[in-house]
Amino acid sequence: MTITSAILGGLGITIGYHRLWAHRSFQACTAVKILLAVAGAAQSQWPILWWVRHHRAHHKYVDTDRDPYNANRGLWFTHIGWLLGKNEAAWGRVDVSDLEIDPVVIWQKRLYYPIVVVVGILLPTAVAHYGWNDWKGGMIYGGLGRIALSHHVTFMINSVAHASWAGSQPYSATTTARNVPLLALVSFGEGNHNFHHTFPTDYRNGIKWHEPDLSRLVIWTWAKLGLVSDLKTVSPLEIELAGQRQHVRRTEDGEKLTQLPRMIWHEYIKQVNRGRCWVSIDGMVYDVTDYMNDHPGGRDLIEGVIGKDATALYYGHHSHSPHAAAVLEDLRISLIRSD
């Protein structure tokens, strides 16, 4: 019973709280949304609205002081310290207006605590009592113990999956996010975190055989049954290009890159706030001070991405020529350090 309830509750977080409500990576019918809302609340990880608020801030301001669980503040902080010393006023602002008009989200917020008590604790207690006369075991293992386990598995996505010593970065090194296969296994796919931060709106976190993702399989099955729809995915070409760019950065360009200084994202932002005309593309910093007026797309285009990650704009706006790539290389001044 404990294992079953842990799996169902965990999917309520990974599929519901995270992929459905935080990232809108698919659409679900009302019955599925209610099921996910109840299963997620039973994990006692706070209402959907609050959970999504801090998670969207994490993605928008990742690895900065406005990130609720900024990885640059160490493993303890990212795992649980951010909650013990919770300071919501410091979190970056995000838009959650889509959730504020979602009737299931509002309903869950109103009944959150009764759901935690009844479904999260009393239900497994009653099942164990009437099933095999062990209400204490049901409460301790199926209720309180399961909730504690669920919390720490979720917290490990914030901590271990952003630790410099864990996993790999096959798709992007612009953030501290890493793929950790063992963690992906116990977190139903969430440990494939480098893929997720590179392609956050994709309903999948794992796409290869060595990237386990139970949540993906469940969502895919529900889609075949007509229970969910509009599954968002990035194209295989985009994934392949991301992997190739990472490979090039690690190998062919290795010697040049090792000669560049390194800085953390926070330092990059600090220097921009001091007036530097710097842009980040694919984990590197470029000084565009003397190039802004010469850019074919106009000065305004460059000004709009100063102090930001312009990777998506650079690769997605149009296909740049080899000459453009050479010009960009001459402007390169630093690497963004991922630890």
Side-chain angles (χ1 to χ4, degrees):
M1 180 196 69
T2 300
I3 295 175
T4 300
S5 59
I7 292 174
L8 293 176
L11 292 174
I13 297 295
T14 63
I15 295 178
Y17 275 41
H18 189 207
R19 305 191 196 189
L20 173 60
W21 281 295
H23 293 289
R24 294 295 187 184
S25 61
F26 66 97
Q27 298 294 320
C29 67
T30 301
V32 168
K33 291 173 72 174
I34 291 174
L35 174 64
L36 291 171
V38 171
Q43 300 301 92
S44 190
Q45 291 191 24
W46 298 273
I48 296 165
L49 193 59
W50 189 84
W51 199 101
V52 171
R53 162 76 177 85
H54 67 70
H55 189 75
R56 287 184 179 177
H58 166 61
H59 272 268
K60 186 173 181 179
Y61 305 99
V62 63
D63 300 334
T64 72
D65 289 338
R66 301 176 76 184
D67 176 354
Y69 17 98
N70 177 10
N72 293 310
R73 297 187 61 177
L75 193 70
W76 167 256
F77 178 83
T78 55
H79 190 76
I80 199 170
W82 70 280
L83 276 173
L84 299 179
K86 186 174 63 176
N87 180 18
E88 294 185 40
W91 300 354
R93 296 185 63 181
V94 295
D95 181 12
V96 291
S97 59
D98 57 317
L99 302 181
E100 292 171 342
I101 59 173
D102 187 324
V104 174
V105 172
I106 302 305
W107 169 82
Q108 193 234 33
K109 181 181 178 182
R110 187 173 65 249
L111 295 178
Y112 172 73
Y113 290 106
I115 294 173
V116 171
V117 174
V118 174
V119 180
I121 299 175
L122 295 183
L123 180 59
T125 301
V127 170
H129 173 66
Y130 291 107
W132 48 91
N133 196 31
D134 183 20
W135 69 268
K136 290 183 180 179
M139 176 178 288
I140 294 173
Y141 298 109
L144 301 176
R146 171 190 51 80
I147 288 174
L149 177 64
S150 167
H151 280 191
H152 286 287
V153 169
T154 299
F155 296 164
M156 281 194 291
I157 304 302
N158 303 335
S159 57
V160 175
H162 280 270
S164 60
W165 46 264
S168 62
Q169 294 182 304
Y171 302 104
S172 174
T174 59
T175 73
T176 56
R178 309 180 80 85
N179 276 11
V180 187
L182 181 59
L183 184 55
L185 186 64
V186 300
S187 64
F188 310 143
E190 303 299 272
N192 299 305
H193 213 49
N194 188 251
F195 180 90
H196 174 59
H197 267 267
T198 307
F199 308 108
T201 60
D202 198 309
Y203 87 94
R204 310 162 299 175
N205 278 12
I207 59 169
K208 299 179 180 178
W209 68 268
H210 55 82
E211 298 171 347
D213 190 355
L214 177 62
S215 301
R216 168 197 176 184
L217 295 177
V218 173
I219 295 171
W220 180 86
T221 301
W222 284 353
K224 294 299 180 182
L225 296 174
L227 299 174
V228 302
S229 61
D230 192 23
L231 276 58
K232 294 181 174 61
T233 61
V234 293
S235 70
L237 178 59
E238 289 180 85
I239 297 171
E240 182 181 354
L241 288 175
Q244 288 178 354
R245 290 195 296 268
Q246 266 295 83
H247 179 70
V248 167
R249 184 167 56 247
R250 288 193 300 259
T251 55
E252 295 177 7
D253 206 24
E255 276 188 35
K256 293 181 181 178
L257 295 183
T258 57
Q259 298 172 6
L260 290 173
R262 296 169 181 266
M263 68 175 69
I264 61 173
W265 183 265
H266 178 70
E267 179 62 25
Y268 164 62
I269 298 298
K270 183 188 296 184
Q271 293 299 325
V272 170
N273 290 338
R274 290 176 177 174
R276 302 280 191 181
C277 294
W278 289 359
V279 172
S280 173
I281 300 175
D282 217 6
M284 286 172 272
V285 178
Y286 301 86
D287 187 343
V288 296
T289 305
D290 298 326
Y291 182 66
M292 294 173 67
N293 291 326
D294 297 328
H295 187 264
R299 183 184 180 94
D300 290 346
L301 184 64
I302 301 297
E303 286 181 339
V305 293
I306 289 176
K308 299 179 181 179
D309 184 348
T311 304
L313 178 65
Y314 179 78
Y315 289 106
H317 189 61
H318 69 273
S319 180
H320 285 83
S321 68
H323 172 70
V327 170
L328 190 66
E329 184 175 334
D330 288 339
L331 302 177
R332 187 168 58 190
I333 61 169
S334 177
L335 285 173
I336 294 293
R337 195 174 73 227
S338 61
D339 54 18

